């Protein structure tokens, strides 16, 4: 928001130069983005550009900023005369609030015999120019000026172009309206409109219609000053790809006690500069739905404990009163009434923060933190950081993609099932929440590939979303490897393949101290059915890895293979505390066994049975040789296994191990129809 320095200091008697003003506003939490000189005359002014946080809608006006400046300067807002000359006539237009919850308050006035050709004073046009608001015509310019001055958006209807009654209602299905910017919109049942007997005249709180707009020949107007529920306005302007000063203010919240004040100020300015005669101000309201002023209490001890201060109740009361928060002291309890413009104050901590802000964070006492030696269980953040550091050290680069994607992309990859649509997307290509990290990584690959990159190792850690079982979020770790660089170093000509990926995954899981993990043939639809594996820990699937499925290559438009892995991140966190045990002082015994096994038997099943039959003193089992289609026996594979036994309590004898070997051979014969090679 941009305002003129002279306009601001007109409301508060503070003698501050522009540097001092910048420092004070920054101290208040109103970030000053820039200050630029305005005008070429000797009596120059300055445009102050403020970056306001979304919760401070009350500062979206010169009055709002002036309130803050007055509080920090221990001054009062200068009162201005804002009394409407008495009028005998009531407005002829009837107003009905069909949607009282969406619009609980609607003030309006009629003004006739306006000379809309007169020129406005220079101070109004300068202040609008500084705020970046174009001059349109005198009536509209005055309404815009009141908006930046007080924060209440106003709208004027040409009385000669509308019916005799106005209704605030939701739009009918597919109702149409032509807006002031020349666009034609088709409305839906969630759009609040201002209508007459025939049609919608304005998109409430956002923009007026062209058919009822004020033009240079307009001489009679109805001026609207309404309070719209922010929840009804939020997202509507964006859904129509428009953004107005009015919608920005209504979305953040407008003082629900400001409507008549703004209406009177606008009417007086029109009467002073454009002539005309006005009716009485009329307000239609549904008190039941108008927000009420909140009452909050602060415990003195709680405030001093949180801020580390020794303030007394009188000092706190003075600070809160400077912010127009009426405060009554009852021993150690301060009872406050929150003003109607401060809708950001909802709990006791909000008020404590206000006190801290007024004191100045730099002025709060500081204490050294007490530290002590204690083992803490790593947080999820620390666990995640450890995993990401490990992967980065393996040559991967981290990428961060939007959580929103287009529905078309999800459909292309057959990932749209259970997806969640966004009601107010940032744009049409970000309309649904992602159900997998794969589309984002593939997009990264495609962009780099199109720029000539033939080697890429990337990973991403992020959330995916699904509306299955009442909406669900999952933290996922995924990575993609594309290795087709034909000009590697002289000593590194190897090409990344599935076994390299498997080695990487095993090393990763070992470094994370995951125990009892095993692999099974993958059922992941993104991966090649014969060159991929799923990872299980204690019977639960935690991830998948392998070569890309040919159909994915076809969709992406890259014929060359790439590899992909994904894991449920929280399943990778270390869940068991490791224990250190003494090494055995007794010698170990090793045996090698080679089996011919039918080709359809998976190694994981062989390993599982071998470990089971080998007993508790087995310390290591390795597959050291494998022949598929061995040729020794039709449709068979040859597995050579190395067993290592070692006891912590005694020296193992050959006769004991021979008995175990015999059990293993019999079990393999019975379970897999395997035979021991001689």
């Amino acid at each position: 928001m941009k305002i003129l320095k002279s306009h601001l200091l007109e409301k508060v008697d503070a003698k501050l130069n522009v540097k001092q003003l910048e420092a004070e506003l920054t101290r208040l939490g109103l970030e000053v983005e820039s200050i630029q000189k305005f005008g070429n005359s000797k009596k120059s002014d300055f445009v102050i550009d403020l970056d306001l946080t979304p919760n401070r809608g009350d500062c979206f006006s010169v009055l709002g900023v002036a309130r803050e400046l007055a509080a920090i300067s221990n001054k009062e807002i200068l009162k201005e005369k804002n009394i409407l000359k008495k009028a005998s006539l009531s407005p002829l237009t009837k107003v009905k609030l069909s949607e009282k919850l969406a619009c609980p308050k609607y003030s309006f006035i009629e003004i006739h015999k306006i000379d809309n050709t007169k020129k406005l004073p220079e101070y109004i046009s300068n202040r609008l120019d500084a705020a970046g608001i174009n001059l349109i015509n005198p009536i509209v310019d005055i309404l815009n000026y009141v908006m930046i001055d007080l924060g209440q958006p106003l709208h004027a209807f040409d009385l000669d172009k509308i019916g005799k009654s106005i209704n605030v209602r939701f739009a009918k299905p597919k109702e149409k309206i032509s807006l002031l910017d020349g666009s034609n919109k088709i409305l839906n049942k969630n759009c609040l409109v201002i209508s007459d007997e025939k049609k919608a005249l304005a998109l409430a709180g956002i923009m007026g219609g062209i058919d009822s707009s004020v033009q240079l020949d307009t001489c009679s107007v109805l001026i609207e000053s309404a309070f719209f529920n922010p929840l009804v306005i939020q997202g509507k302007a964006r859904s129509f790809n428009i953004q107005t000063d009015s919608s920005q203010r209504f979305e953040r919240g407008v003082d629900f006690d400001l409507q008549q004040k703004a209406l009177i100020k606008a009417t007086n300015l029109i009467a002073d500069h454009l002539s005309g005669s006005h009716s009485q101000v009329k307000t239609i309201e549904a008190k039941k739905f108008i927000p009420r002023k909140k009452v909050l209490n602060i415990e003195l001890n709680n405030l001093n404990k949180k801020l580390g201060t020794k303030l007394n109740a009188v000092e706190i009361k003075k600070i809160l009163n400077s912010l127009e928060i009426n405060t009554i002291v009852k021993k150690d309890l301060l009872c406050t009434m929150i003003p109607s413009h401060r809708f950001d104050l909802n709990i006791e901590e909000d008020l404590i923060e206000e006190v801290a802000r007024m004191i100045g964070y730099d002025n709060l006492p500081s204490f050294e933190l007490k530290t002590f030696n204690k083992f803490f269980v790593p947080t999820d953040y620390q666990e995640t950081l450890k995993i990401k550091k490990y992967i980065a050290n393996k040559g991967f680069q981290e990428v961060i993609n939007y959580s929103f994607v287009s529905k078309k992309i999800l459909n292309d990859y057959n990932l749209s099932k259970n997806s969640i649509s966004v009601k107010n997307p940032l744009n049409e290509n970000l309309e649904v929440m992602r159900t997998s990290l794969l589309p984002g990584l593939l997009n990264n690959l495609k962009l780099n590939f199109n720029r000539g990159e033939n080697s890429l190792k990337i990973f991403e850690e992020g959330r995916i979303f699904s509306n299955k079982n009442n909406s669900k979020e999952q933290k996922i770790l995924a990575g993609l490897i594309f290795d087709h660089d034909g000009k590697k170093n002289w000593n590194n000509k190897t090409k990344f393949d599935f076994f390299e990926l498997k080695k990487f995954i095993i090393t990763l899981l070992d470094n994370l101290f995951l125990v009892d993990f095993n692999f099974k043939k993958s059922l992941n639809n993104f991966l090649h059915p014969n060159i991929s594996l799923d990872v299980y820990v204690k019977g639960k699937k935690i991830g998948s890895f392998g070569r890309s499925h040919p159909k994915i290559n076809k969709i992406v438009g890259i014929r060359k293979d790439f590899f992909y892995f994904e894991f449920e991140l929280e399943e990778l966190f270390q869940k068991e505390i490791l224990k250190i045990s003494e090494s055995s002082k007794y010698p170990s015994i090793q045996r090698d066994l080679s089996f011919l096994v039918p080709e359809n038997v998976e190694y994981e099943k062989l390993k599982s049975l071998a470990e089971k039959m080998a007993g508790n003193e087995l310390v290591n089992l390795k597959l050291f040789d494998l022949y598929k289609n061995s040729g020794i026996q039709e449709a068979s594979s040859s597995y050579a296994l190395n067993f290592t036994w070692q006891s912590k309590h005694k020296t193992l004898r050959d006769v004991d191990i021979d008995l175990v070997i015999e059990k293993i051979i019999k079990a393999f014969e019975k379970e897999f129809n395997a035979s021991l090679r001689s």
Side-chain angles (χ1 to χ4, degrees):
M1 185 186 71
K2 294 179 179 178
I3 57 176
L4 276 180
K5 172 177 174 265
S6 61
H7 192 182
L8 177 61
L9 295 184
E10 188 180 275
K11 292 187 181 297
V12 54
D13 186 21
K15 307 294 183 188
L16 300 170
N17 61 40
V18 71
K19 286 291 179 189
Q20 292 169 325
L21 188 57
E22 180 181 10
E24 289 295 78
L25 292 174
T26 303
R27 185 181 153 201
L28 284 163
L30 307 177
E31 187 180 343
V32 179
E33 282 211 331
S34 66
I35 293 182
Q36 292 183 338
K37 204 171 180 181
F38 181 82
N40 298 317
S41 63
K42 291 181 180 177
K43 200 175 179 180
S44 60
D45 207 339
F46 293 91
V47 182
I48 305 167
D49 189 358
L50 296 171
D51 185 12
L52 301 173
T53 54
N55 65 321
R56 295 306 305 271
D58 62 299
C59 289
F60 227 118
S61 66
V62 175
L63 175 63
V65 179
R67 281 197 200 103
E68 293 286 296
L69 196 59
I72 201 75
S73 308
N74 201 22
K75 304 277 186 182
E76 288 189 358
I77 292 288
L78 298 174
K79 292 182 180 177
E80 58 180 291
K81 190 178 177 182
N82 192 37
I83 301 171
L84 188 65
K85 187 180 176 184
K86 283 188 177 179
S88 56
L89 295 176
S90 295
L92 297 175
T93 309
K94 306 295 180 188
V95 171
K96 179 184 177 184
L97 302 181
S98 292
E99 297 299 333
K100 295 181 175 58
L101 180 60
C103 177
K105 194 173 186 182
Y106 193 98
S107 297
F108 64 103
I109 194 170
E110 291 177 354
I111 309 177
H112 302 275
K113 298 178 182 176
I114 300 172
D115 184 354
N116 201 20
T117 60
K118 287 187 175 180
K119 192 174 180 182
L120 293 177
E122 192 178 14
Y123 78 91
I124 291 181
S125 54
N126 282 345
R127 290 171 183 182
L128 288 172
D129 185 25
I133 298 176
N134 294 329
L135 299 178
I136 299 172
N137 75 52
I139 296 174
V140 177
D141 294 341
I142 284 176
L143 302 191
N144 284 337
Y145 172 69
V146 174
M147 177 181 69
I148 63 168
D149 187 64
L150 300 179
Q152 170 68 45
L154 304 168
H155 185 70
F157 298 98
D158 189 327
L159 268 174
D160 296 328
K161 298 176 182 175
I162 64 174
K164 294 181 179 178
S165 63
I166 276 180
N167 189 10
V168 184
R169 59 171 172 82
F170 281 117
K172 300 169 187 172
K174 297 185 179 180
E175 188 171 3
K176 296 179 181 177
I177 187 171
S178 299
L179 297 175
L180 284 169
D181 63 356
S183 64
N184 296 312
K185 306 294 182 190
I186 299 175
L187 308 176
N188 58 52
K189 62 179 182 180
N190 296 319
C191 297
L192 191 69
V193 298
I194 313 299
S195 71
D196 62 4
E197 302 90 335
K198 296 179 180 176
K199 60 182 179 181
L201 303 173
L203 198 50
I206 299 174
M207 190 180 284
I210 190 73
D211 295 337
S212 60
S213 64
V214 173
Q215 304 294 333
L216 285 176
D217 59 352
T218 297
C219 57
S220 298
V221 295
L222 179 147
I223 302 177
E224 160 200 291
S225 179
F227 173 74
F228 298 115
N229 188 328
L231 295 176
V232 176
I233 306 299
Q234 284 169 6
K236 297 295 182 303
R238 199 178 298 118
S239 68
F240 288 111
N241 291 323
I242 51 178
Q243 194 72 30
T244 63
D245 292 299
S246 175
S247 67
Q248 277 188 312
R249 285 167 173 80
F250 278 122
E251 284 178 348
R252 297 185 183 209
V254 169
D255 183 352
F256 56 83
D257 211 14
L258 184 63
Q259 288 66 45
Q260 285 204 13
K261 182 180 178 181
L263 202 54
I264 290 170
K265 177 154 191 170
T267 304
N268 284 334
L269 285 171
I270 290 173
D272 290 345
H273 303 300
L274 306 177
S275 305
S277 59
H278 60 80
S279 69
Q280 297 167 353
V281 172
K282 193 161 186 177
T283 298
I284 310 296
E285 59 185 0
K287 291 184 179 178
K288 180 181 173 183
F289 299 107
I290 297 175
R292 295 181 181 177
K293 291 183 180 179
K294 288 168 277 191
V295 176
L296 297 176
N297 296 332
I298 306 180
E299 288 185 16
L300 183 61
N301 291 336
N302 189 31
L303 181 142
N304 281 322
K305 184 180 176 183
K306 282 191 163 63
L307 300 185
T309 52
K310 294 179 180 177
L311 297 170
N312 60 45
V314 175
E315 291 171 314
I316 298 170
K317 178 182 176 181
K318 186 180 177 184
I319 291 172
L320 294 176
N321 284 344
S322 71
L323 291 164
E324 300 184 15
I325 300 172
N326 290 328
T327 307
I328 299 172
V329 179
K330 293 180 180 177
K331 293 186 178 178
D332 288 342
L333 190 70
L334 292 96
C335 306
T336 67
M337 173 74 79
I338 308 300
S340 56
H341 59 270
R342 290 304 302 271
F343 23 78
D344 59 314
L345 303 179
N346 296 302
I347 56 177
E348 182 184 4
E349 280 69 20
D350 291 336
L351 291 173
I352 294 174
E353 188 180 358
E354 287 300 286
V355 173
R357 198 167 61 92
M358 287 298 116
I359 293 173
Y361 292 111
D362 291 341
N363 298 324
L364 291 174
S366 59
F367 303 95
E368 286 189 13
L369 291 173
K370 293 179 180 177
T371 59
F372 53 92
N373 294 324
K374 191 175 179 181
F375 173 74
F376 290 97
V377 175
T379 62
D380 288 359
Y381 172 77
Q382 290 170 321
E383 291 278 11
T384 304
L385 198 60
K386 184 173 75 174
I387 296 170
K388 288 162 70 172
K389 277 185 176 177
Y390 177 84
I391 298 176
N393 285 334
K394 292 294 178 184
F396 284 77
Q397 289 183 308
E398 184 177 5
V399 297
I400 301 173
N401 291 298
Y402 276 120
S403 296
F404 310 111
V405 294
S406 78
K407 198 162 188 175
K408 182 180 179 307
I409 286 180
L410 291 188
N411 286 331
D412 288 345
Y413 295 118
N414 197 21
L415 284 167
S416 60
K417 187 179 180 183
N418 298 322
S419 62
I420 300 172
S421 299
V422 182
K423 283 187 176 178
N424 54 343
L426 294 172
N427 63 54
E428 57 186 11
N429 293 320
L430 301 172
E431 57 189 323
V432 291
M433 309 291 282
R434 63 185 176 188
T435 55
S436 167
L437 299 189
L438 181 65
L441 292 171
L442 289 177
N443 189 45
N444 301 139
L445 169 63
K446 198 171 178 180
L447 283 172
N448 283 277
F449 180 75
N450 290 339
R451 292 176 181 176
E453 284 291 335
N454 283 310
S455 180
L456 189 72
K457 291 171 77 175
I458 53 175
F459 76 99
E460 181 173 12
E461 172 263 322
R463 295 175 188 271
I464 61 171
F465 308 87
S466 161
N467 64 8
K468 190 179 179 182
N469 300 329
N470 296 326
S471 299
K472 185 180 174 186
E473 291 184 23
Q474 261 187 310
K475 286 183 180 176
I476 298 292
L477 176 76
L480 189 147
I481 304 103
F482 181 76
D483 184 23
H484 292 277
D485 189 357
K487 297 180 180 177
K488 290 188 174 179
N489 293 335
W490 63 271
N491 60 349
N492 180 17
K493 297 291 185 185
T494 57
K495 186 180 171 186
F496 195 91
D497 59 14
F498 173 74
F499 296 104
E500 284 285 325
L501 177 60
K502 186 179 179 184
K503 180 182 172 185
F504 165 73
I505 296 296
I506 292 174
T507 313
L508 171 66
L509 299 180
D510 284 340
N511 274 277
L512 298 174
F513 301 110
L514 255 71
V515 294
D516 297 334
F517 63 84
N518 56 57
F519 304 118
K520 293 182 181 177
K521 186 177 179 181
S522 181
L523 302 175
N524 193 316
N525 293 330
F526 309 138
L527 301 176
H528 194 293
N530 297 321
I531 314 176
S532 59
L533 289 171
D534 287 340
V535 184
Y536 286 78
V537 174
K538 297 181 179 176
K540 182 182 179 184
K541 181 185 169 186
I542 65 166
S544 307
F545 65 94
R547 201 173 89 182
S548 57
H549 196 289
K551 70 180 180 184
I552 297 293
N553 288 74
K554 190 175 180 182
I555 295 170
V556 182
I558 298 175
R559 291 184 178 179
K560 296 178 179 177
D561 299 327
F562 55 86
F563 296 88
Y564 176 72
F565 66 86
E566 66 177 16
F567 287 94
E568 290 182 34
L569 184 64
E570 291 178 354
E571 296 296 335
L572 297 178
F573 295 162
Q574 185 180 333
K575 295 181 174 64
E576 296 182 14
I577 297 175
L578 300 177
K579 294 180 181 176
I580 299 173
S581 62
E582 186 182 359
S583 300
S584 174
K585 58 185 178 184
Y586 300 101
S588 61
I589 294 180
Q590 291 193 357
R591 293 283 192 277
D592 292 342
L593 296 176
S594 180
F595 291 98
L596 285 175
V597 181
E599 205 171 28
N600 59 351
V601 178
E602 296 174 2
Y603 168 69
E604 292 301 326
K605 292 181 179 177
L606 295 176
K607 184 185 175 190
S608 176
L609 183 62
E611 289 174 336
K612 181 181 175 184
M613 303 309 296
N616 296 330
E617 285 164 339
L618 178 75
V619 293
N620 196 17
L621 172 62
K622 288 191 294 189
L623 171 67
F624 69 92
D625 212 355
L626 168 64
Y627 288 100
K628 289 281 186 183
N629 297 320
S630 62
I632 302 169
Q633 188 173 306
E634 191 175 349
S636 66
S637 300
S638 172
Y639 289 88
L641 304 172
N642 171 260
F643 295 79
T644 304
W645 288 271
Q646 189 177 35
S647 170
K648 289 185 178 178
H649 311 292
K650 62 180 181 181
T651 300
L652 295 175
R653 298 176 303 168
D654 284 340
V655 65
D656 298 327
I657 299 302
D658 289 343
L659 289 173
V660 175
I661 292 291
E662 193 176 335
K663 284 169 61 180
I664 294 172
I665 294 170
K666 286 182 178 177
F668 269 50
E669 289 173 348
K670 182 180 177 183
E671 193 72 25
F672 305 120
N673 193 25
S675 59
L676 185 67
R677 291 182 62 186
S678 57

